[in-house]
Amino acid sequence: MSPNTWVIEMNSHKSRLFTHPQAHPRSQLSNDAFARRAVSNDNPVFEDISTILSVLKASGLLPFYEQLSSYEVGPPSKTNEFYSFFVRGVVHALTIFNIYSLITPNSAQLFFSLRETDNVNQWIELLLCIFTYTLTVFVCARNTKSMLEIMNEILKLDKEVLRQFGVVLSNNCNFSVKFLVVIVCCQAYIMVLRIYAVKGAITPTSYILIAFYAFQNGLTATYIVFASALLRIVCIRFHFVNQLLNAFTYVQQQKLAKKSRRQPPVSNMEHFPEDSLFIYRTHNKLLRIYKSINECCSLIIVCFLGYSFYTVTTNWYNLFVQITNNKGIISAHILQWCLAWLCLHTSLLALLSRSCGATTYEANSTSQILARVYGKSKEFQNIIDKFLTKSIKQEVQFTAYGFFAIDNSTLFKIFSAVTTYLVILIQFKQLEDSKLEEQVQNEV
Amino acid sequence: MSQPTPLVQPLLLQFQQLFFISKIVGVLPQDLDKFRHKNMLEKSRNGMFYMLGVLSVYVVLYNLLIYSFGEEDRTLKASQSTLTFVIGLFLTYIGLIMMATDQLTALFNQGQLGELYERIRVVDERLYREECLLDNSCIAKRIRIMLIMTFIFEISILVATYINLVDYTQWLSLLWIVSAVPTFINTLDKIWFAVSLYALKERFEAINATLEDLVMEHEKYKTWLSGNDATTATVGNRTTDHPPQSSPPPQYDSNLEYLYKELGGIDVGSLRGSGSKNRNKVAPIAHSMNSFGESIPTPYKPQRMNTNPMINMAHESELSNATKVEEKLNNLCQVHDEICEIGKAMNGLWSYPILSLMAYGFLIFTAQLYFLYCATQFQSIPSLFRSAKNPFITVIVLVYTSGKCIYLIYLSWKTSLASKRTGISLHKCGVVADDNLLYEIVNHLSLKLLNHSVDFSACGFFTLDMETLYGVSGGITSYLIILIQFNLAAQQAKDAIQSFNSFNDTAGFVGAATEMDNESSTLYDMVTTTMMSPTY
Amino acid sequence: MIQIMNWLSMAIGLIPLNRQQLHSNFLVDYVMMVLVPCLYLIAYFGIIVMQRFGLAFLDACNSVCRLSNNLFMHLGAFLYVTIFVMSLYRRKQFFVDFETHLAEIDVVIKKCRQVADLDKSRVKAVKHSVAYHFTWLFVFGVFIFALYYDASALYGTFGEYAIIPFMVSSFPYLAGSIIQGEFIYHVSVISNRFEQINTLFEKINQEARRRHAPIQVFDIESEGKKQERKSAVIATKTAFGIEQKLADEMKRQKSPHEDEDEMNTSDEEDDDIFDYNDTNTENTESTSETNLPDLFKLHDKILSLSVLTNGEFGPQCVPYMAACFVVSIFGIFLETKVNFIVGGKSPVLDYMTYLYVIWSITTMVVAYIVLRLCCNANNHSKQSAMIVHEIMQKKPAFMLSNDLFYNKMKSFTLQFLHWEGYFQFNGIGLFALDYTFIFSTVSAATSYLIVLLQFDMTAILRSEGLMT
């Protein structure tokens, strides 16, 4: 039952394996910085999400890993490490400057408001944003090694799959570029709105603050998109493993039997033992990768969810207040502001929920598919039993730091919580308004 | 599977009346002729055009209805804030949205619906081969009962509202009939789902019953083997507990089916006829839902031993031969998996309509109760909710709406439970035989069954479980408390300001006292007007 | 104690007389079940229609008092009608089925105990602990106090006609609580049977432990040693028998097994005192293990009995818990917002408030006992699986999969997993009757109370003349 036995058995079935012409010489390369020169012929790793990766690398959230081969990355060189440190230092300095100018009247220009509560609102939003981004930077700095390990594990898995089946797994992460575009547009739009809303001449401090605010939000959002992209990659690999397993289920075997019209379809179950070992091993590896992504990202995701929840609630509230304004003056500025924020955050929440939900679903469906494999011999049944016994009650979940699981239903729960708070807030507002109205009427 | 006559009756045979009504009203677009002749649901372009036409007609009529009955709403808009008006408008249209969702989903899923019932037919055939007895006749009865109840509810709400609350001197008021259309179409669509779900539950129960029968058979075999009366205490209750039927229905023994075919050239399994006339069909399985199957004996089992001496089944048990029964258990497990997959497919087909139904139910329930409260306080309410002015009509509306939602959730829960019971029955087989080989088979299949899950959910947002109902009712109560609380507070504030102002006027001195009196009896009025017979 | 409750429930007309006999006089059995609800309905509709004999129609009763009285009355009506309809649904059938199944289970348990050589000379008396008696006394005391308070207050107001308002105020809650008492009784019977099979499992566990020293658990060699020991050592049955009885005696004195109100989680695992030599093997080891299929079947049967009980009493739990919830919330609301401020000024209002508080405490006590017992039964059921798992681990042939013993254990573990996914004591699936239910109701009650307590009662109280 230990993984070692499977590795030993794997070697005996090499006769059935395809060999990729490029893979073998490369696998002899040592993890040496000097081998970098041979890299130029290889395909870049994680091609699909290269834009996001470069953005995150440039801002210090991800390390500048060295690509050692098509399927391996190494730790960054010294200069690149220094660069990452430098960027993080600049970010922290700017954060401190930000907080300092918020406390002093330097930023008074940016805070105009109709009511006292709006001011408090903006304060809380700003603080949450700063907190989230600072936390992101800290956690990313701490997790550089584990992030590299995750990437290496994924690449190793891809290499293994290529060696066994000759299939190159695509990543289907085009959505990341689209989301990046959306984020950039929204942030730029918000910046412009902010600049226009400021009365009088704008001080450099205000420029810095506005730019940094957009920068923080944009990068936090980009990190969330990156996490979703990683999850999508893992999901695709789970799906591949499930497809492999699906070929052995009784439904598929019956279809093959109908097509072949020859002897009873025992022939396809021949490969079941060695394929099942590969599948189990790959599934375990993928589970480990999934769990390590969870550990890396969960604190950031918790803070982001809190920040997002708060932003969505306050923006919906402001939107409602504007729309139902009895005085008839609808401020276009506030409308656009609210819509931009809502658009950004809702799409990010939906993306995160869907990625987590899809990956969890794929991970949990392996045992369901295995339950459909019917083998005649005791050996097959034992193989199936081993995996099924191990995965009893092993509910794979993507948790937010252990507080709750993120799933397809998370979006719905957030939505219903937001609605409840909105109802309460709107009722308070209506009460206030009706009292004001009565007083005004009676004065008249 | 390529036989000219099918072994079992297709399930769709029971749906004749329902399909006819659905086709006329515009709920399903499939072909009517093919359904009548072949009992299959197939795509039909004419049906699609008809449905789209009917949908647009309904939309137009509904908008006309809202417009013509909406004069009150326009004055409402002036007096109250825009927000209340917007919410009122949204609630008014949600019925239409629900109806449109149902019909458009049915259009998109035309082909897949037929495939679903084809899969059920294949499952029935496999069950038949495993000597698993099913009875489809209760389904037609169920459909009829549900249709009758739908009609009763819709007509009573319509007539009661029309008589009490609509000004029927104008001929335009006949348009009020259109207000019942969205809910009626929605109910018809849900009857399809509910009855198909019930059919799946019956198949799960059939598998469970087969396993329990194996157990009982083996127990009798053991008793016969041991030959003593040590276990009559356990078996005695069953054999003496003959059901009080004077003449049992004619037995349809699956083993004798081949004999019947040879003797008369008739295929007993494919005798046509409406549901109630299928006397030649299998004896119904009497398994109550509340207790386990083994407490209420199947009526035909003891008689089977006595009336068929030529089939030597009285002293044999399938479970005593592990290798032979392995095939049967494997097949049952595969059928169980197939039914779970059909359940998931059904859930996928109906996920959006169910989501919209639950949203509709939640919103309308809250809104109706809140407007009932507002009506007792003589505040103005949107025109389409005028049924809230009369508590009895409100009760009927609430029972109808919540009944639909609760029944679907309850049925999903029960089906889920029935699928989980198979593992338990399987283990009973293993325990009663106490044979190593059988234990291994049972363990292996049990592990597989642990991974067969059928959980119904609405688009993955929430599961269709009774626990969801618990949460939803908590949510409704919270919202109601918040809304009513604020309404009361606003009322109090308004009254306080008014009384303060009129207190200053000498002429309004008396008015203050009466207003204070009104305020004090607010609570009492609220309760009594809802409980006693209201006169509006 | 149980008998008193049974008589009371028969007298009130909640369960039919002669409930365990299928063929008895129909009229005699159901006469109370028809009479008492009719009385209740007459009283209820009489008060509403005639507007007399009700607390709400007294002059001294202000609007707050009227509202709370109406709520109490209508809630009671809802509770009583739903409970009565559900009781009527199965009538005797449930009790007959329950007794039949219980008899079957007891027969098999007796057989297993004979095989396992347990308590040959002891009468199986049900010994109750102090806590059990104390709980019963406490519950009876609280009920008697509540009924007495209500009856005396109403007698003071209405004289001989007090029976009519009494029927609509306290009687429904009393009826609901008695049905819960029946539920508690049946669940405790089930719990007791679980405990008995747990002792039988534990016996097998001890034997397994005695045969295999802990060092040799995963050792293949011990398989050979086991064979040697079996053939080599002679066992004296009497010697073992005496020691086994001693062991059982010590165990029984340590923990009262038939205690329905305490959780016996740690008792069965306290086996350090039983440190026997390995040389003392026994012949009864094999006979005790032959109990295993019967024990597995028993476990399944007892769980089926639980399903039956839950099917009968679970639906009746739901309106009871709902009524308890509403009464508690309103009790807290009235106590803090009304009584705290204007207590003592209006006796009728005070009476209503106290009535709410008393009945909320009473129903909460009963609800807590229900939850605790259901949890207990669940834990006992889990305990069986844990003991079997322990037995499994002691066998050196753990890794070999063609061992009958191993397959049996594995089959039971899987069976238990299936049961766990299928059944837990619940109320029509709405909520599980567990301690988590307390958590969810308390959080819901907190959020409602926060909203309700914002309500400003001073204006109303002032207008009623209770405040200045």
Side-chain angles (χ1 to χ4, degrees):
Chain A
M1 279 237 266
S2 62
N4 294 331
T5 54
W6 294 346
V7 169
I8 297 169
E9 287 188 60
M10 277 305 303
N11 291 332
S12 61
H13 297 285
K14 276 239 164 90
S15 53
R16 214 167 54 84
L17 305 176
F18 291 75
T19 51
H20 197 267
Q22 260 191 347
H24 276 280
R26 291 289 172 250
S27 58
Q28 310 301 327
L29 275 179
S30 58
N31 192 4
D32 198 354
F34 296 119
R36 260 182 296 140
R37 276 168 238 131
V39 155
S40 50
N41 290 337
D42 295 322
N43 307 322
V45 298
F46 296 119
E47 235 178 330
D48 301 9
I49 51 175
S50 53
T51 327
I52 289 229
L53 282 176
S54 40
V55 166
L56 288 174
K57 275 192 259 187
S59 58
L61 289 177
L62 277 185
F64 269 98
Y65 51 83
E66 296 294 324
Q67 181 167 347
L68 301 173
S69 71
S70 282
Y71 293 102
E72 205 170 347
V73 295
S77 64
K78 285 293 172 197
T79 36
N80 288 333
E81 262 189 71
F82 281 138
Y83 171 76
S84 296
F85 270 126
F86 173 68
V87 168
R88 285 189 218 125
V90 164
V91 161
H92 288 315
L94 274 176
T95 310
I96 296 175
F97 174 70
N98 212 355
I99 298 178
Y100 169 73
S101 32
L102 277 179
I103 299 175
T104 60
N106 279 351
S107 61
Q109 209 178 31
L110 292 173
F111 289 102
F112 72 99
S113 66
L114 308 164
R115 279 193 296 264
E116 187 59 35
T117 47
D118 274 357
N119 233 353
V120 172
N121 231 6
Q122 284 192 14
W123 262 89
I124 297 181
E125 268 191 59
L126 261 169
L127 284 175
L128 271 178
C129 173
I130 295 174
F131 176 66
T132 310
Y133 186 61
T134 319
L135 190 72
T136 309
V137 173
F138 268 126
V139 170
C140 283
R142 210 182 51 184
N143 284 336
T144 43
K145 276 219 182 76
S146 25
M147 189 53 74
L148 282 179
E149 262 176 43
I150 291 174
M151 294 171 87
N152 268 330
E153 291 281 320
I154 295 179
L155 292 170
K156 252 196 295 190
L157 202 107
D158 281 352
K159 191 162 98 170
E160 189 72 37
V161 164
L162 189 64
R163 207 162 51 112
Q164 270 270 60
F165 296 99
V167 173
V168 177
L169 293 170
S170 67
N171 287 341
N172 269 357
C173 287
N174 296 330
F175 68 88
S176 61
V177 176
K178 291 183 200 146
F179 263 92
L180 203 56
V181 166
V182 165
I183 292 171
V184 165
C185 288
C186 280
Q187 290 302 322
Y189 191 53
I190 289 172
M191 259 204 299
V192 162
L193 277 178
R194 203 70 192 276
I195 290 176
Y196 271 124
V198 172
K199 301 186 175 68
I202 308 175
T203 63
T205 319
S206 303
Y207 270 124
I208 295 178
L209 286 178
I210 294 175
F212 192 55
Y213 183 61
F215 180 72
Q216 284 175 325
N217 271 310
L219 277 175
T220 315
T222 314
Y223 189 81
I224 296 290
V225 175
F226 169 67
S228 310
L230 270 184
L231 284 171
R232 168 72 74 93
I233 291 174
V234 171
C235 177
I236 289 175
R237 276 128 189 87
F238 268 125
H239 187 72
F240 174 73
V241 162
N242 288 343
Q243 289 297 102
L244 280 181
L245 200 50
N246 206 19
F248 295 108
T249 55
Y250 70 97
V251 173
Q252 298 296 325
Q253 295 285 315
Q254 277 171 3
K255 281 192 191 150
L256 280 170
K258 266 191 260 181
K259 272 190 214 157
S260 69
R261 290 181 191 285
R262 278 184 286 134
Q263 74 267 21
V266 181
S267 52
N268 249 32
M269 291 292 280
E270 273 176 6
H271 297 304
F272 182 63
E274 58 272 13
D275 275 354
S276 64
L277 286 172
F278 174 76
I279 289 171
Y280 291 175
R281 212 170 47 145
T282 316
H283 184 83
N284 283 342
K285 278 197 217 153
L286 282 171
L287 276 183
R288 274 200 297 268
I289 296 174
Y290 188 58
K291 289 210 173 80
S292 16
I293 297 180
N294 199 2
E295 276 171 30
C296 266
C297 304
S298 67
L299 195 55
I300 301 172
I301 287 181
V302 160
C303 291
F304 175 74
L305 281 176
Y307 171 53
S308 189
F309 179 75
Y310 184 78
T311 311
V312 166
T313 314
T314 47
N315 280 312
W316 270 117
Y317 174 66
N318 287 331
L319 202 63
F320 265 120
V321 162
Q322 279 305 303
I323 288 178
T324 63
N325 200 350
N326 283 343
K327 298 186 195 113
I329 315 165
I330 297 184
S331 160
H333 163 259
I334 297 186
L335 258 182
Q336 290 169 354
W337 175 271
C338 292
L339 281 174
W341 277 117
L342 280 176
C343 172
L344 180 67
H345 277 276
T346 319
S347 47
L348 282 175
L349 284 175
L351 175 70
L352 191 62
S353 305
R354 264 197 64 196
S355 315
C356 296
T359 316
T360 310
Y361 172 74
E362 288 292 337
N364 285 332
S365 58
T366 308
S367 51
Q368 285 181 16
I369 296 179
L370 192 59
R372 282 188 215 123
V373 176
Y374 286 83
K376 287 280 176 201
S377 72
K378 272 285 167 248
E379 186 203 346
F380 290 171
Q381 290 186 4
N382 282 341
I383 294 174
I384 298 173
D385 277 353
K386 264 192 217 157
F387 186 84
L388 287 180
T389 316
K390 191 176 77 75
S391 71
I392 287 179
K393 297 211 152 192
Q394 188 193 50
E395 273 291 315
V396 178
Q397 273 180 349
F398 194 89
T399 63
Y401 209 59
F403 289 130
F404 51 90
I406 304 183
D407 210 353
N408 277 333
S409 59
T410 309
L411 193 62
F412 175 70
K413 286 181 188 150
I414 293 181
F415 170 70
S416 60
V418 166
T419 314
T420 313
Y421 286 131
L422 268 181
V423 167
I424 297 177
L425 287 173
I426 290 174
Q427 291 290 332
F428 268 122
K429 171 123 199 338
Q430 280 199 321
L431 196 60
E432 229 178 89
D433 280 350
S434 63
K435 278 195 183 145
L436 278 172
E437 245 180 57
E438 289 293 327
Q439 279 181 0
V440 162
Q441 267 187 14
N442 289 331
E443 276 162 22
V444 166
Chain B
M1 262 173 272
S2 54
Q3 298 168 358
T5 50
L7 288 172
V8 294
Q9 276 189 3
L11 181 65
L12 282 177
L13 191 66
Q14 319 290 334
F15 283 77
Q16 296 265 3
Q17 293 160 336
L18 184 61
F19 185 71
F20 191 61
I21 298 180
S22 312
K23 195 87 173 95
I24 292 181
V25 171
V27 173
L28 286 178
Q30 278 90 355
D31 206 10
L32 186 60
D33 283 328
K34 291 230 180 66
F35 184 83
R36 271 216 208 107
H37 296 212
K38 289 203 286 180
N39 275 328
M40 277 170 44
L41 287 172
E42 283 183 10
K43 286 169 98 148
S44 151
R45 286 197 76 189
N46 294 339
M48 186 172 80
F49 288 134
Y50 175 71
M51 242 180 100
L52 284 173
V54 163
L55 175 64
S56 32
V57 162
Y58 285 149
V59 168
V60 162
L61 282 177
Y62 200 78
N63 282 316
L64 210 60
L65 166 79
I66 293 175
Y67 181 76
S68 63
F69 280 89
E71 298 99 30
E72 295 176 21
D73 288 347
R74 283 179 271 264
T75 53
L76 188 77
K77 183 181 189 311
S79 70
Q80 283 194 11
S81 71
T82 325
L83 181 66
T84 321
F85 173 67
V86 164
I87 291 181
L89 200 65
F90 174 65
L91 287 174
T92 311
Y93 272 101
I94 198 166
L96 200 64
I97 295 174
M98 183 177 69
M99 179 182 86
T101 313
D102 288 344
Q103 289 183 301
L104 290 173
T105 316
L107 273 176
F108 279 131
N109 291 335
Q110 274 193 65
Q112 292 165 3
L113 196 61
E115 281 168 23
L116 192 83
Y117 288 102
E118 183 59 29
R119 280 170 84 172
I120 295 183
R121 198 187 60 81
V122 170
V123 158
D124 283 354
E125 283 188 359
R126 280 190 81 168
L127 282 177
Y128 176 76
R129 263 184 262 134
E130 298 303 324
E131 300 165 10
C132 218
L133 306 169
L134 271 181
D135 183 23
N136 279 338
S137 61
C138 52
I139 292 199
K141 212 171 23 160
R142 229 163 226 264
I143 293 180
R144 241 174 286 147
I145 293 177
M146 281 202 248
L147 280 174
I148 291 174
M149 283 184 66
T150 311
F151 275 117
I152 290 177
F153 270 118
E154 289 282 351
I155 290 183
S156 60
I157 294 175
L158 196 61
V159 166
T161 323
Y162 190 72
I163 291 179
N164 280 347
L165 302 166
V166 172
D167 180 18
Y168 45 82
T169 52
Q170 302 177 11
W171 66 270
L172 208 62
S173 62
L174 277 173
L175 215 55
W176 185 252
I177 296 177
V178 180
S179 70
V181 162
T183 45
F184 181 61
I185 289 186
N186 180 49
T187 314
L188 281 181
D189 190 50
K190 296 305 168 293
I191 291 181
W192 276 94
F193 179 69
V195 176
S196 311
L197 200 57
Y198 180 74
L200 285 187
K201 184 168 81 91
E202 288 289 293
R203 274 136 191 83
F204 278 129
E205 299 284 329
I207 296 181
N208 294 345
T210 311
L211 289 170
E212 304 268 344
D213 285 347
L214 283 177
V215 171
M216 275 188 5
E217 210 184 320
H218 192 83
E219 275 182 355
K220 290 199 184 95
Y221 170 66
K222 279 206 302 197
T223 326
W224 171 75
L225 266 187
S226 60
N228 57 6
D229 288 350
T231 52
T232 42
T234 56
V235 190
N237 284 336
R238 294 170 197 191
T239 48
T240 53
D241 221 353
H242 279 287
Q245 295 173 11
S246 50
S247 62
Q251 308 292 315
Y252 179 58
D253 197 338
S254 55
N255 283 319
L256 295 177
E257 196 250 345
Y258 305 109
L259 269 174
Y260 291 154
K261 259 192 184 160
E262 301 232 337
L263 289 174
I266 48 170
D267 195 355
V268 183
S270 66
L271 277 178
R272 293 284 179 89
S274 70
S276 54
K277 292 208 207 99
N278 284 346
R279 276 291 161 228
N280 285 333
K281 284 297 285 182
V282 301
I285 299 174
H287 281 278
S288 78
M289 279 314 298
N290 281 341
S291 66
F292 259 78
E294 61 176 354
S295 69
I296 298 181
T298 53
Y300 63 92
K301 261 298 179 187
Q303 296 166 9
R304 197 169 157 171
M305 269 170 29
N306 300 333
T307 56
N308 299 323
M310 53 179 165
I311 296 182
N312 194 14
M313 291 193 61
H315 302 308
E316 271 182 20
S317 162
E318 293 188 40
L319 283 180
S320 45
N321 189 343
T323 39
K324 266 206 298 188
V325 85
E326 179 176 1
E327 185 66 31
K328 179 166 185 165
L329 291 178
N330 263 345
N331 285 338
L332 284 177
C333 198
Q334 284 182 3
V335 170
H336 187 265
D337 177 55
E338 177 63 19
I339 303 179
C340 288
E341 289 299 302
I342 295 177
K344 285 195 194 135
M346 202 184 283
N347 193 20
L349 283 184
W350 264 282
S351 56
Y352 282 110
I354 290 183
L355 182 66
S356 65
L357 171 67
M358 295 301 162
Y360 171 81
F362 176 72
L363 288 171
I364 293 295
F365 204 91
T366 316
Q368 197 84 17
L369 283 176
Y370 177 62
F371 289 135
L372 178 69
Y373 166 75
C374 289
T376 55
Q377 299 302 304
F378 307 112
Q379 296 170 11
S380 41
I381 57 182
S383 67
L384 216 65
F385 282 94
R386 60 186 67 204
S387 54
K389 289 185 189 154
N390 188 332
F392 288 115
I393 304 180
T394 309
V395 163
I396 300 178
V397 168
L398 289 179
V399 165
Y400 180 48
T401 313
S402 61
K404 267 191 290 191
C405 300
I406 293 178
Y407 183 61
L408 284 180
I409 291 178
Y410 179 75
L411 209 53
S412 312
W413 176 61
K414 280 291 177 186
T415 310
S416 208
L417 277 185
S419 80
K420 290 188 184 133
R421 226 193 90 193
T422 312
I424 295 171
S425 310
L426 184 67
H427 274 285
K428 281 200 194 129
C429 288
V431 165
V432 85
D434 206 21
D435 172 42
N436 192 25
L437 197 55
L438 193 62
Y439 269 129
E440 285 183 2
I441 297 169
V442 160
N443 286 348
H444 179 67
L445 288 178
S446 161
L447 276 173
K448 290 201 161 114
L449 282 174
L450 272 176
N451 284 301
H452 289 171
S453 69
V454 52
D455 285 317
F456 295 95
S457 73
C459 287
F461 287 139
F462 50 87
T463 53
L464 287 179
D465 211 359
M466 295 297 268
E467 306 232 348
T468 315
L469 204 62
Y470 182 61
V472 161
S473 58
I476 292 180
T477 321
S478 313
Y479 281 130
L480 273 178
I481 289 184
I482 293 172
L483 290 173
I484 294 183
Q485 176 96 327
F486 277 102
N487 199 322
L488 267 176
Q491 199 69 22
Q492 269 190 346
K494 208 185 285 187
D495 290 345
I497 292 178
Q498 276 182 2
S499 63
F500 178 70
N501 286 336
S502 52
F503 187 72
N504 285 337
D505 293 343
T506 46
F509 205 85
V510 178
T514 48
E515 258 166 346
M516 279 197 221
D517 263 336
N518 283 342
E519 204 183 293
S520 65
S521 54
T522 318
L523 288 167
Y524 178 57
D525 283 334
M526 173 178 96
V527 173
T528 46
T529 46
T530 47
M531 298 301 171
M532 314 272 235
S533 54
T535 50
Y536 168 63
Chain C
M1 294 281 187
I2 310 277
Q3 272 305 96
I4 300 177
M5 187 187 71
N6 278 336
W7 288 333
L8 201 56
S9 56
M10 282 193 273
I12 296 185
L14 291 167
I15 59 180
L17 278 69
N18 298 327
R19 64 181 185 278
Q20 287 162 8
Q21 301 163 22
L22 203 52
H23 308 290
S24 56
N25 193 352
F26 186 76
L27 221 61
V28 164
D29 291 341
Y30 291 102
V31 64
M32 287 310 282
M33 276 184 90
V34 170
L35 203 61
V36 175
C38 284
L39 280 174
Y40 177 78
L41 288 173
I42 290 172
Y44 180 70
F45 283 115
I47 291 183
I48 291 183
V49 168
M50 290 197 307
Q51 304 210 352
R52 288 177 64 192
F53 302 126
L55 215 65
F57 308 108
L58 291 178
D59 293 328
C61 192
N62 51 35
S63 71
V64 177
C65 166
R66 251 173 299 174
L67 175 67
S68 31
N69 188 40
N70 281 331
L71 179 69
F72 201 71
M73 191 168 76
H74 297 312
L75 191 65
F78 160 73
L79 180 66
Y80 184 69
V81 168
T82 40
I83 284 185
F84 177 69
V85 166
M86 288 185 208
S87 298
L88 214 53
Y89 178 61
R90 285 201 71 177
R91 296 179 296 269
K92 275 193 201 171
Q93 190 60 36
F94 164 71
F95 296 103
V96 169
D97 287 340
F98 191 83
E99 288 305 314
T100 320
H101 286 232
L102 200 64
E104 286 170 22
I105 290 172
D106 281 339
V107 161
V108 184
I109 288 185
K110 194 157 150 225
K111 187 185 89 167
C112 290
R113 286 180 89 98
Q114 278 174 358
V115 168
D117 245 358
L118 281 181
D119 67 10
K120 270 199 282 202
S121 60
R122 193 179 302 112
V123 172
K124 195 166 61 114
V126 175
K127 218 177 58 162
H128 299 298
S129 73
V130 174
Y132 168 78
H133 289 291
F134 174 72
T135 315
W136 270 113
L137 280 171
F138 176 68
V139 168
F140 271 165
V142 169
F143 269 98
I144 290 175
F145 172 67
L147 293 170
Y148 170 72
Y149 176 74
D150 197 14
S152 62
L154 285 174
Y155 186 74
T157 319
F158 290 101
E160 325 56 87
Y161 295 109
I163 184 73
I164 300 178
F166 181 77
M167 282 294 278
V168 300
S169 67
S170 286
F171 174 71
Y173 300 95
L174 177 69
S177 309
I178 288 180
I179 287 281
Q180 296 304 305
E182 289 286 329
F183 185 34
I184 291 171
Y185 164 65
H186 286 97
V187 171
S188 64
V189 165
I190 289 174
S191 216
N192 175 278
R193 298 301 179 274
F194 269 129
E195 280 170 4
Q196 289 184 18
I197 64 170
N198 280 349
T199 47
L200 289 164
F201 272 127
E202 189 54 37
K203 171 123 193 323
I204 302 178
N205 193 13
Q206 284 168 33
E207 288 162 3
R209 176 183 307 215
R210 218 170 294 122
R211 270 194 309 135
H212 310 285
I215 327 162
Q216 296 169 340
V217 167
F218 288 105
D219 200 349
I220 308 291
E221 297 176 7
S222 63
E223 190 59 11
K225 284 198 187 138
K226 181 173 81 170
Q227 303 294 335
E228 286 172 20
R229 248 184 282 136
K230 258 191 187 164
S231 52
V233 179
I234 332 159
T236 54
K237 196 169 178 183
T238 50
F240 170 72
I242 292 172
E243 276 177 311
Q244 182 54 39
K245 278 186 204 153
L246 199 64
D248 272 346
E249 194 75 65
M250 289 183 71
K251 256 193 118 179
R252 221 160 271 275
Q253 278 170 8
K254 258 186 75 157
S255 62
H257 283 287
E258 280 80 17
D259 178 20
E260 282 127 49
D261 290 331
E262 286 188 353
M263 290 167 59
N264 294 339
T265 45
S266 59
D267 294 329
E268 271 119 308
E269 303 183 20
D270 204 358
D271 284 330
D272 291 335
I273 51 175
F274 305 116
D275 197 10
Y276 294 107
N277 313 339
D278 286 333
T279 53
N280 195 6
T281 51
E282 52 309 295
N283 281 339
T284 56
E285 172 216 330
S286 51
T287 55
S288 210
E289 272 180 24
T290 56
N291 270 341
L292 275 178
D294 283 329
L295 286 177
F296 294 158
K297 220 184 326 181
L298 271 180
H299 193 258
D300 184 74
K301 277 200 160 103
I302 301 179
L303 279 172
S304 307
L305 195 61
S306 314
V307 172
L308 189 68
T309 312
N310 194 32
E312 166 74 9
F313 288 111
Q316 291 170 333
C317 235
V318 173
Y320 188 76
M321 297 293 178
C324 171
F325 184 69
V326 173
V327 166
S328 310
I329 288 190
F330 265 93
I332 296 177
F333 177 73
L334 282 176
E335 181 70 35
T336 50
K337 289 291 240 188
V338 174
N339 204 32
F340 200 61
I341 302 175
V342 297
K345 295 221 175 101
S346 164
V348 187
L349 189 59
D350 287 345
Y351 158 74
M352 280 311 305
T353 314
Y354 291 144
L355 196 67
Y356 265 94
V357 170
I358 290 174
W359 276 110
S360 70
I361 293 176
T362 315
T363 47
M364 275 200 274
V365 164
V366 172
Y368 176 71
I369 296 179
V370 166
L371 291 174
R372 193 184 166 107
L373 280 188
C374 292
C375 251
N376 263 357
N378 212 17
N379 285 339
H380 287 313
S381 163
K382 278 202 187 90
Q383 186 74 9
S384 310
M386 275 164 43
I387 299 177
V388 167
H389 194 64
E390 264 186 48
I391 299 176
M392 256 172 97
Q393 282 179 330
K394 300 222 173 73
K395 287 285 175 180
F398 177 51
M399 301 301 254
L400 299 176
S401 62
N402 53 0
D403 183 23
L404 173 66
F405 193 73
Y406 168 74
N407 280 332
K408 269 194 243 204
M409 303 279 145
K410 188 168 169 194
S411 172
F412 178 69
T413 320
L414 287 170
Q415 172 183 319
F416 180 72
L417 276 176
H418 277 283
W419 268 109
E420 223 182 10
Y422 174 69
F423 172 72
Q424 204 193 358
F425 277 107
N426 60 28
I428 333 178
L430 286 172
F431 46 83
L433 286 172
D434 212 351
Y435 289 132
T436 56
F437 180 63
I438 299 181
F439 178 67
S440 67
T441 36
V442 164
S443 68
T446 314
S447 53
Y448 294 154
L449 273 174
I450 287 180
V451 174
L452 277 179
L453 287 177
Q454 301 287 334
F455 195 66
D456 191 16
M457 290 288 286
T458 52
I460 297 177
L461 289 174
R462 207 168 277 143
S463 66
E464 296 291 342
L466 290 167
M467 267 176 74
T468 48

